[in-house]
Amino acid sequence: MIQASIFPGKYVQGAGALSRLGKESAKFGKKAFAICDPYVFESVIPGYQDEIRKEIDIVFEKFNGECSDKEINRVTELVKAEGSSVVIAVGGGKTIDTAKAVAHALSLPVIIAPTIASTDAPCSALSVIYTDEGAVDRYLFLPSNPNVVLVDTSVIAKAPVRFLVSGMGDALSTWLEAKSCQTGYANNFAGEKGSMTAYALAELCYETLLEFGVAAKVSNETGVVTPAFEKVVEANTLLSGLGFESGGIASCHAVHNGLTVLEPTHKYYHGEKVSIGVVTSVFLTDKPADFIDEVYDFCESVGLPTTLAQVGLEGVSDEDLMKVAVRACAEGETIYNELVPITPEAVFSAIKAADAYGRARKSGEV
Ligand SMILES: [Zn+2]
């Protein structure tokens, strides 16, 4: 049996880590091109650019807001015109995915500096490309992971706490899904079986969230970096990234994908919908009662959604929920990596049960 795990080339994290951007970029050549979220461009970069420019000739460009072919082509032409030897993203998921796609188009190295810890996108060899209207167009699978991931926790600590909590929702799914893939010998994103390294990191991700999640959230609310905050940022970004990509995914993300067919969920973040996927999956896969309570306890302690009303689906009809279940069971979906019989009816029932249990706990009935 062949096993394979994939990793970013280097992971650097800590308060003030962005000051290392020049030094890290200079390892790839003399000129760098960075695309930045507008907020980052105006409020974060000014505090670091003198330090960065000591090491490298760098252009900072504002990201236009959508990871679309149009924006990828625009940035690609700018990078070409500058003759830059490395592409950098400083910002959130779409900026990151754009930089990865641009670097891929020009066969250049890429450095990712996430400014929020809301998903595990920074470390992965994957870009999600959208239409100009903001709908998912396609997945771009890249030949390698980013060369460097540089995470400045002092920047992330100042970001709204909802991003960190959403990232915890995404990271909470990692071990559950990887464990199913491990047990069932399902393939990971490298198209192979995962290694014990990937599964061990996925499990560490879960344990880290449960132990330090609440303390990390408090740190973020206060805008300060603490050891607990550092641990959870690493869990959300690195452990979850390695865990999902090299461990594989299953029902939590399939249910997330199902939820996206209902428009009211669109304003909720990825990790918030994944959280509903997680509470659904524990019923779908018949987990022990203690484990189910552990998952709900955690979600409630950090404010992750456990009821449909919390992702915009208050009073949703059975007919609409069935659409979610049918989409979650689409051909080729990762839900078939679970070790239980999968039907839309089973998924529908699990979503209803998860929501009812979430509501019962909130009202103090159980
Ligand atoms: Zn995810």
Side-chain angles (χ1 to χ4, degrees):
M1 184 176 75
I2 304 289
Q3 300 174 325
S5 297
I6 53 180
F7 307 90
K10 184 175 189 178
Y11 184 84
V12 184
Q13 181 186 305
L18 264 180
S19 61
R20 303 281 185 91
L21 188 58
K23 198 172 149 199
E24 292 298 335
S25 309
K27 290 175 184 164
F28 298 104
K30 291 189 165 37
K31 293 184 84 175
F33 192 100
I35 53 168
C36 316
D37 282 358
Y39 165 78
V40 170
F41 186 86
E42 276 141 32
S43 305
V44 178
I45 296 300
Y48 287 96
Q49 59 181 355
D50 291 349
E51 185 80 25
I52 295 168
R53 287 192 203 281
K54 278 185 201 158
E55 307 280 348
I56 194 155
D57 182 359
I58 187 166
V59 173
F60 293 102
E61 171 72 19
K62 248 193 244 184
F63 174 57
N64 262 356
E66 194 52 84
C67 179
S68 62
D69 284 320
K70 194 170 146 196
E71 177 67 354
I72 292 165
N73 292 337
R74 183 185 76 88
V75 178
T76 300
E77 290 309 314
L78 289 173
V79 175
K80 240 197 267 181
E82 287 291 336
S84 306
S85 41
V86 55
V87 182
I88 300 165
V90 191
K94 290 188 176 189
T95 309
I96 290 170
D97 280 359
T98 302
K100 285 188 203 169
V102 169
H104 173 59
L106 297 170
S107 299
L108 290 176
V110 63
I111 298 178
I112 304 295
T115 51
I116 49 177
S118 66
T119 73
D120 42 29
C123 295
S124 75
L126 173 73
S127 277
V128 185
I129 313 291
Y130 292 79
T131 65
D132 284 327
E133 290 71 43
V136 174
D137 183 35
R138 64 185 189 280
Y139 292 102
L140 175 63
F141 290 95
L142 304 164
S144 58
N145 298 65
N147 300 71
V148 180
V149 178
L150 190 76
V151 185
D152 191 328
T153 40
S154 62
V155 173
I156 293 176
K158 300 279 188 256
V161 72
R162 189 177 164 196
F163 289 120
L164 184 82
V165 172
S166 173
M168 287 197 257
D170 200 18
L172 184 64
S173 70
T174 306
W175 170 230
L176 271 77
E177 296 186 295
K179 181 74 184 159
S180 297
C181 293
Q182 180 185 27
T183 311
Y185 295 93
N187 282 354
N188 60 19
F189 280 80
E192 307 284 0
K193 313 303 172 211
S195 64
M196 68 171 186
T197 305
Y199 302 125
L201 295 178
E203 189 167 12
L204 178 61
C205 182
Y206 181 80
E207 289 166 358
T208 304
L209 294 180
L210 260 66
E211 187 167 357
F212 299 103
V214 173
K217 187 187 175 194
V218 170
S219 299
N220 198 166
E221 282 164 348
T222 319
V224 296
V225 178
T226 59
F229 182 74
E230 293 275 12
K231 286 190 174 81
V232 169
V233 170
E234 184 177 338
N236 284 10
T237 311
L238 182 63
L239 296 176
S240 182
L242 299 174
F244 101 81
E245 213 174 17
S246 293
I249 62 172
S251 60
C252 307
H253 276 81
V255 170
H256 162 279
N257 294 344
L259 288 168
T260 63
V261 304
L262 301 183
E263 199 275 331
T265 68
H266 290 184
K267 62 175 185 288
Y268 293 87
Y269 295 160
H270 174 78
E272 293 169 340
K273 284 176 276 203
V274 172
S275 179
I276 297 297
V278 170
V279 292
T280 299
S281 88
V282 296
F283 283 95
L284 179 71
T285 60
D286 198 19
K287 293 286 190 286
D290 285 355
F291 184 78
I292 292 177
D293 280 326
E294 183 175 277
V295 166
Y296 275 81
D297 283 344
F298 173 73
C299 290
E300 290 163 4
S301 71
V302 295
L304 277 167
T306 56
T307 67
L308 292 169
Q310 289 174 287
V311 291
L313 299 179
E314 175 125 52
V316 63
S317 68
D318 282 358
E319 196 188 345
D320 275 349
L321 267 194
M322 198 51 167
K323 288 181 197 157
V324 172
V326 167
R327 172 61 186 86
C329 298
E331 202 186 325
E333 253 301 350
T334 52
I335 200 165
Y336 298 102
N337 289 340
E338 297 294 358
L339 304 161
V340 294
I342 295 293
T343 60
E345 289 73 22
V347 176
F348 171 85
S349 302
I351 297 172
K352 295 272 280 190
D355 173 59
Y357 194 54
R359 283 186 286 113
R361 285 177 57 107
K362 280 184 197 298
S363 68
E365 283 171 45
V366 292

